[in-house]
Amino acid sequence: MTTAATPRPSVLFVCVHNAGRSQMGAAFLTHLAGDAVEVRSAGSAPADAVNPAVVEAMREVGVDISAETPKILTVEAVRSSDVVITMGCGDACPVFPGKRYLDWRLEDPAGQGVDGVRPIRDEIEQRVRGLLAELGVPAA
């Protein structure tokens, strides 16, 4: 999975607004893998801010994403990632040969309160733990 130029795997999480699912995925991967994985997140049409219910749901499990901001998806971000995980970004994600693409179909937390976000958060955490196992990176 790693190349000579990248001594550690690089993972990019993508959703439309980069305000919910992709932020949670990136936060869990960073939280569980530390510096063992390079982590990015982006959106094809980024929102102005991270969903407050997502921030609160992550705070409940000890992960603070209150300082995160949605970022625009760039071709360079995809090109420099080993694994690209799409979370409902549709056809907006550029596809490059040699990249590993995973499509995680998850409910959109937009418009939901913390109660609605919790099951999505928990599903993302389980998928991130599975990804770490596949990458051979021990979870913290």
Side-chain angles (χ1 to χ4, degrees), residues 104-126:
W104 289 0
R105 297 184 187 275
L106 299 156
E107 192 174 345
D108 190 344
Q112 299 197 47
V114 177
D115 288 343
V117 172
R118 284 185 192 113
I120 302 166
R121 173 201 67 200
D122 296 345
E123 173 71 16
I124 290 171
E125 180 181 11
Q126 289 310 306

Side-chain angles (χ1 to χ4, degrees), residues 45-128:
D48 293 330
V50 175
N51 179 332
V54 167
V55 172
E56 181 58 33
M58 291 300 287
R59 184 178 292 123
E60 289 177 353
V61 294
V63 180
D64 182 8
I65 62 169
S66 61
E68 296 299 324
T69 56
K71 295 166 275 311
I72 186 74
L73 176 64
T74 64
V75 169
E76 184 51 40
V78 176
R79 189 175 282 132
S80 57
S81 299
D82 299 311
V83 180
V84 179
I85 299 173
T86 58
M87 303 166 138
C89 85
D91 297 333
C93 298
V95 175
F96 293 102
K99 302 290 174 201
R100 180 173 174 209
Y101 289 88
L102 301 173
D103 185 31
W104 289 0
R105 297 184 187 275
L106 299 156
E107 192 174 345
D108 190 344
Q112 299 197 47
V114 177
D115 288 343
V117 172
R118 284 185 192 113
I120 302 166
R121 173 201 67 200
D122 296 345
E123 173 71 16
I124 290 171
E125 180 181 11
Q126 289 310 306
R127 290 183 187 212
V128 166

Side-chain angles (χ1 to χ4, degrees), residues 5-62:
T6 20
R8 58 190 176 143
S10 174
V11 177
L12 170 65
F13 292 91
V14 183
C15 67
V16 175
H17 300 299
N18 190 222
R21 294 166 289 190
S22 56
Q23 289 283 351
M24 287 189 281
F28 273 126
L29 188 53
T30 299
H31 180 74
L32 295 169
D35 293 336
V37 178
E38 186 177 353
V39 182
R40 298 180 184 86
S41 73
S44 52
D48 293 330
V50 175
N51 179 332
V54 167
V55 172
E56 181 58 33
M58 291 300 287
R59 184 178 292 123
E60 289 177 353
V61 294

Side-chain angles (χ1 to χ4, degrees), residues 130-138:
L131 176 67
L132 282 170
E134 289 174 28
L135 295 173
V137 175

